Amino acid sequence: MSKYTQQQETEIIREAMELTAAIKLEEEELQRLRDESFANKPAPPQRTVLQQPKEVKPNYPQTPKYTIGQYLNDNKVLKIIGIIGVPFIFIGGVGIPIWIFIMVRYKTKAKQVVDEANSNPDYQRAIAQAEKDAQEANRKAKENYLAEQKRLDSEYEANFKKYNSDVLPKYEAEFAEWQTLQKRKIDAIESDLRLNKETLTNLYDTSRLVSVSYRELWILNWLYNDMSSSDHDVRYATELLDRDRQRLVTQEAGRMATQAIGMLNQTMTEGFGAVYNAIESGSEEHLRQLKTMRRDMNIGTAIGAVQRNKTMKLIESIKENS
């Protein structure tokens, strides 16, 4: 027969359930804090290097052309010979195919026409003007390129100076501060988590009411729901649980664990916020409050302080009645 009343057993199960839920929430919060990262370091400004302007080529006047058609039009006899299909033309008693003769004469004439056009003073002046225009266009493009590159370099140097003297030091200071605060937050949660685990172990060791195989969160929640809504003691409640445990594992374990966590979620969230605010404010008053909160465990917004304080009183009561 148990040395505890049904009400005491129910209270012990409730305390174990809430401490287990608090531990789970704190472990999740610790993981969240450890996964957090600060913003990436601002990238230094990059120097923009403009592409060299493409060289402007002279827009030369079109080279005169003298086509075979023009040649034949200028030489009606050869054109007629070609039309009537005379195969050979005899020069000095030697027969030369007409098409070879025409092509030789054409090329000679074409060269003469082109040479005359190229040596024309107007054509030569047009060539000189095209080269002068191209040279001027290249000079202006180079001048604009150098001026724009100089402007960009000046802007880059100013930005780089500001980066080294302002942007980077500000980031490094904020990052260092974030690291310090993050470490304090993690230390605070780890300390409270450690106390909660010690308190839960103390509760189990002192009461000797819950065996190791019944210390899962969903099981504690099931036992508490059953015992708080009936006159069942823990022995009878565990027997009921064992009869249908496999079905509960597959169908309701997750829901029950979530239900147990939900009961503490808001309180724990408020506790996290209170501790973080005390750490982030950095004022002596808040830091003293945080130390008192951690030492006396009697402030309502402390993470697990209220629950742990109640549990310790229950443990003391159990010891006195043992």
Side-chain angles (χ1 to χ4, degrees):
M1 183 176 178
S2 173
K3 58 183 177 181
Y4 308 114
T5 66
Q6 193 272 349
Q7 185 177 1
Q8 286 176 320
E9 287 187 348
T10 303
E11 184 67 9
I12 291 170
I13 296 298
R14 185 183 67 80
E15 300 286 352
M17 176 189 70
E18 292 187 353
L19 275 171
T20 303
I23 288 168
K24 180 174 177 58
L25 286 168
E26 286 181 325
E27 288 174 339
E28 291 175 353
E29 179 66 7
L30 266 180
Q31 190 59 51
R32 187 191 69 78
L33 288 172
R34 288 168 179 152
D35 289 342
E36 280 187 337
S37 59
F38 197 64
N40 292 332
K41 180 188 293 186
Q46 299 297 310
R47 178 174 179 259
T48 300
V49 179
L50 294 176
Q51 189 174 8
Q52 290 274 3
K54 292 183 178 179
E55 182 183 2
V56 177
K57 301 293 184 181
N59 185 20
Y60 290 121
Q62 187 174 3
T63 303
K65 294 182 180 180
Y66 189 67
T67 66
I68 187 69
Q70 288 175 309
Y71 175 71
L72 291 175
N73 283 332
D74 293 340
N75 294 270
K76 303 295 185 180
V77 174
L78 290 177
K79 185 177 181 180
I80 293 171
I81 291 174
I83 292 173
I84 64 178
V86 176
F88 293 96
I89 188 169
F90 292 91
I91 299 176
V94 179
I96 300 174
I98 190 62
W99 66 269
I100 293 178
F101 176 77
I102 291 174
M103 289 304 298
V104 170
R105 296 294 296 271
Y106 159 69
K107 287 183 179 180
T108 301
K109 182 62 177 178
K111 184 177 183 305
Q112 179 187 347
V113 171
V114 170
D115 287 345
E116 289 176 355
N118 286 341
S119 62
N120 184 288
D122 290 338
Y123 182 75
Q124 292 297 320
R125 281 193 293 272
I127 288 178
Q129 187 62 47
E131 291 177 345
K132 182 179 179 181
D133 292 345
Q135 186 179 26
E136 179 63 14
N138 284 321
R139 185 191 67 77
K140 288 183 177 179
K142 183 74 170 181
E143 185 180 273
N144 292 337
Y145 158 77
L146 292 174
E148 180 62 10
Q149 186 64 63
K150 183 178 180 180
R151 186 190 69 80
L152 291 173
D153 287 346
S154 178
E155 185 178 274
Y156 163 74
E157 289 170 6
N159 289 337
F160 195 74
K161 182 177 180 180
K162 181 179 180 182
Y163 176 80
N164 284 323
S165 64
D166 183 17
V167 176
L168 190 58
K170 181 180 178 182
Y171 169 83
E172 290 174 343
E174 290 176 351
F175 182 42
E177 181 182 9
W178 178 85
Q179 285 181 309
T180 299
L181 295 178
Q182 199 74 354
K183 184 178 184 304
R184 288 176 182 173
K185 291 176 184 179
I186 290 173
D187 289 346
I189 304 298
E190 284 180 335
S191 176
D192 202 82
L193 175 61
R194 183 168 55 253
L195 288 173
N196 278 337
K197 287 182 176 180
E198 291 172 357
T199 303
L200 181 60
T201 299
N202 197 358
L203 176 64
Y204 283 140
D205 292 347
T206 304
S207 65
R208 296 187 176 276
L209 190 67
V210 184
S211 63
V212 174
S213 59
Y214 291 93
R215 294 178 183 178
E216 292 181 56
L217 182 56
W218 76 270
I219 294 177
L220 293 169
N221 180 252
W222 192 96
L223 294 175
Y224 175 70
N225 286 342
D226 179 73
M227 295 170 65
S228 62
S229 61
S230 68
D231 60 356
H232 300 162
D233 61 9
V234 71
R235 181 184 294 274
Y236 188 71
T238 53
E239 289 176 359
L240 290 176
L241 172 66
D242 288 340
R243 292 176 191 174
D244 207 12
R245 187 166 180 172
Q246 187 56 47
R247 181 185 66 82
L248 290 170
V249 168
T250 56
Q251 294 182 6
E252 305 218 11
R255 181 185 65 80
M256 291 179 182
T258 301
Q259 181 185 67
I261 290 174
M263 295 177 183
L264 282 180
N265 195 30
Q266 183 175 352
T267 301
M268 295 290 288
T269 300
E270 291 174 355
F272 296 146
V275 172
Y276 299 160
N277 287 338
I279 290 172
E280 290 173 356
S281 71
S283 68
E284 289 299 320
E285 179 182 351
H286 280 84
L287 292 175
R288 281 196 301 272
Q289 184 185 59
L290 177 60
K291 291 177 181 178
T292 303
M293 183 188 302
R294 301 276 298 283
R295 184 182 66 248
D296 298 339
M297 301 181 296
N298 60 0
I299 296 177
T301 53
I303 301 172
V306 173
Q307 178 60 43
R308 194 163 52 241
N309 196 33
K310 291 165 61 178
T311 305
M312 292 303 295
K313 289 180 180 178
L314 176 63
I315 292 172
E316 291 302 321
S317 175
I318 292 171
K319 289 179 178 178
E320 289 174 2
N321 296 326
S322 297

